[in-house]
Amino acid sequence: MPLKYLLIPATFALFTHCAEKSTSDYTIEASFASTAPEIDGKANDPIWQQAKPIRLKNNRTGKEVQESALQTHVKASYDDKNLYFLFECKDPDIWTEFTQRDEYLWKEEVVEVFIDVDDEPKTYVEIEVSPANILFDSYIVDPENIDVPATAKFNLPGIRTSVTIQGTLNKREDKDNGWTVEMAIPFEDLANATTERVGPETEIRLNFFRLDKNQGKEFASYAWSPTGKSFHKPSVFGKLVFK
């Protein structure tokens, strides 16, 4: 039986910040890609020119990120087989020390998407990608008590990611411009015991995040639908609307 169908013991919680939010009416529109984007970490595919961006906010305060050099935009697309996401992250100091899949990427710089395809809010897929295109993927079954080593055993078999750097990775004395992440996630990889078939007809809830740790600046956490503290708050996930 696939790991995603199992109930995993939970002993560890991630990301504590401040005041919480309890609901969300956020929606992001996924544009249909008649031609699939090339997963090369670039935003030049035709679909990304027409897809509508959303911008991440300060997760602690819920306020807009005013400094243009730190802003994050996300776009969504789909075709018959895949979901596609594009993150465009402005970043003056791009770095990461992680080199292996499922290392604890959230301790450094990373983008994240949480995807829930069923009626059970406590179960959802978590995907993280670092500036070095290192992947962390897991299946959450108890967002308040996460057993990280157990959840990290889950792998999305068909996921593809790519990153491009507008600057120099891990050269911290210079000034960078940003980094771009492209993801392709097969619908079939998101299926579980409750929702055995996932596609554009599925009601999908999700949230987007970014962790940013620039030299000389305060640690920052950004979110599409801000949670106030722990990212793992499915009650405030927004909705994916298929155009």
Side-chain angles (χ1 to χ4, degrees):
M1 179 179 293
L3 178 62
K4 69 177 86 173
Y5 296 171
L6 302 181
L7 291 178
I8 304 171
T11 60
F12 187 82
L14 301 178
F15 307 122
T16 300
H17 300 313
C18 57
E20 292 196 38
K21 180 181 176 184
S22 58
T23 60
S24 173
D25 57 1
Y26 285 68
T27 60
I28 181 171
E29 185 178 273
S31 299
F32 181 76
S34 55
T35 300
E38 182 179 356
I39 305 304
D40 55 5
K42 299 178 182 178
N44 56 2
D45 298 279
I47 188 59
W48 298 133
Q49 306 308 307
Q50 68 183 65
K52 295 180 180 179
I54 55 93
R55 191 165 80 183
L56 304 194
K57 299 178 179 180
N58 185 301
N59 188 57
R60 298 179 182 179
T61 66
K63 295 181 179 179
E64 299 287 346
V65 178
Q66 298 298 328
E67 190 172 348
S68 60
L70 300 175
Q71 291 177 354
T72 312
H73 293 86
V74 182
K75 295 180 179 180
S77 181
Y78 75 103
D79 57 22
D80 294 336
K81 295 184 178 180
N82 299 288
L83 275 177
Y84 303 103
F85 296 114
L86 179 80
F87 285 77
E88 294 181 287
C89 308
K90 296 296 184 181
D91 193 343
D93 179 22
I94 307 170
W95 69 282
T96 181
E97 296 180 353
F98 293 118
T99 60
Q100 302 296 319
R101 184 170 182 166
D102 291 333
E103 289 187 294
Y104 294 175
L105 304 184
W106 60 88
K107 294 184 176 182
E108 297 178 351
E109 295 200 310
V110 75
V111 298
E112 307 183 6
V113 56
F114 296 0
I115 305 173
D116 186 1
V117 300
D118 57 32
D119 293 328
E120 174 48 65
K122 291 186 177 181
T123 61
Y124 51 89
V125 170
E126 174 184 4
I127 300 167
E128 303 183 12
V129 180
S130 80
N133 196 32
I134 303 301
L135 175 68
F136 176 93
D137 48 351
S138 68
Y139 188 71
I140 306 300
V141 299
D142 183 350
E144 296 183 359
N145 300 283
I146 300 173
D147 184 340
V148 176
T151 63
K153 293 178 181 177
F154 169 81
N155 285 330
L156 293 160
I159 189 171
R160 292 174 289 138
T161 66
S162 186
V163 176
T164 57
I165 303 291
Q166 295 84 57
T168 51
L169 180 64
N170 292 331
K171 189 175 180 181
R172 306 202 66 182
E173 64 274 16
D174 70 358
K175 185 176 181 180
D176 304 313
N177 292 317
W179 50 295
T180 304
V181 183
E182 215 171 0
M183 304 182 191
I185 307 162
F187 283 119
E188 64 180 7
D189 284 7
L190 299 172
N192 58 35
T194 303
T195 307
E196 296 183 356
R197 178 178 172 81
V198 177
E201 72 283 354
T202 306
E203 182 174 308
I204 295 177
R205 298 185 63 83
L206 74 175
N207 210 348
F208 303 99
F209 304 96
R210 176 185 169 196
L211 293 168
D212 191 25
K213 299 187 178 183
N214 296 312
Q215 196 163 229
K217 288 185 175 288
E218 183 181 356
F219 162 76
S221 60
Y222 308 124
W224 173 44
S225 178
T227 64
K229 55 176 188 178
S230 171
F231 285 179
H232 292 271
K233 190 169 179 60
S235 63
V236 305
F237 285 9
K239 293 183 180 180
L240 184 67
V241 176
F242 293 97
K243 182 178 177 181

